[in-house]
Amino acid sequence: MPPGPSVRLALFQGRAEPLDLVANLAVLDQAAREARAAGADLLLTPELFATGYAPSLIRDSVSTAAAADLDRDLARIAARHDIALVYSAPGPGPADDRRITSTLVDRAGRVVARYAKSHLFGAEERASFRPGTAPPPVVDFLGLKIALLICYDVEFPEVVRDAAVHGAGLVLVPTALSRGYENVSRVLVPARALENSVTLAYANHVGIEAGLDLAGASVIVGPDGTIVADAGRTTGLSYATVTAPGTDVDYLADRRPELYRSWTDAAHDRSGRPD
């Protein structure tokens, strides 16, 4: 049997300047240029990188028009460098009713999928944004089924499992993970990849932004849970070639959803006493 399709994935890790949209877009433009020159088909970037990760500053200072301009400018970066791009930005709408979004655009800058973060983290995010309610999109793209999540979403097993059950083989996660939480990258993200037989890419900021020390530790993890790329505390690009998933243990095939539903829907004796 001939090999299945493969995608050369680039992951960017870096430090943004809060509210310096021009400077941050220039950083992403350079990353896209370098990734394409290295043969990448798709570039994944961190959560809210174009604005910097600063939820309250975004709420107070980034207008609806400026957010729309960011979408346009980021799509142009993809088209200019002939590379598909996943970016995270403030969504459309007024500042008091805005979501954190992740968008996949193709090499021509056309929107393929968009997702609104469903699990907001911390008081500042919850005061600055609204949670999304739609499930993660799963789209056929570049020969693979690709899903989008954002940051804290990946820490809930139900979210990644939903994407996997609906066919995702590659899950792309822009994030803004602070220092002290590196086990999310080192332990939890590999577990999510392994238990769902997916490749999972997790792209973070690194360094101080608006007083927050962001951890780096961006990773690309294979469907067997192996970390195949780890950015550590460096700034720049990491790469991996992604193919259709396949592992020795097929958790998705062996799960028993009807049984689990029965546990939830009916009163069960949980004492552990034998029948």
Side-chain angles (χ1 to χ4, degrees), residues 13 179 182 186 205-207 213-217 230-235:
Q13 175 172 286
R179 291 287 291 271
E182 287 86 350
R186 308 294 187 222
H205 305 240
V206 63
D213 190 358
L214 293 155
D230 185 339
R233 290 282 294 174
T234 64
T235 295

Side-chain angles (χ1 to χ4, degrees), residues 5-22:
S6 64
V7 170
R8 187 65 173 165
L9 173 65
L11 178 156
F12 174 71
Q13 175 172 286
R15 187 178 70 84
E17 295 291 344
L19 299 185
D20 193 340
L21 278 56
V22 172

Side-chain angles (χ1 to χ4, degrees), residues 75-91:
R76 287 176 176 173
I77 287 173
R80 180 159 53 248
H81 299 295
D82 189 34
I83 190 169
L85 175 66
V86 172
Y87 67 85
S88 172

Side-chain angles (χ1 to χ4, degrees), residues 51-64:
T51 56
Y53 181 77
S56 61
L57 295 179
I58 293 168
R59 177 196 61 209
D60 295 339
S61 302
V62 177
S63 68
T64 301

Side-chain angles (χ1 to χ4, degrees), residues 20-21 55 62 96 106 120 130 148 156 169 173 176 209 240 249-251 262 275:
D20 193 340
L21 278 56
V62 177
D96 62 354
D106 66 15
L120 299 178
R130 299 291 177 267
L148 303 177
F156 294 84
V173 188
E209 296 181 27
V249 180
D250 192 341
Y251 293 107
S262 78
D275 294 338

Side-chain angles (χ1 to χ4, degrees), residues 164-190:
V165 165
H166 287 88
L170 173 60
V171 179
L172 300 175
V173 188
T175 193
L177 183 76
S178 60
R179 291 287 291 271
Y181 293 92
E182 287 86 350
N183 270 356
V184 173
S185 291
R186 308 294 187 222
V187 178
L188 193 149
V189 168

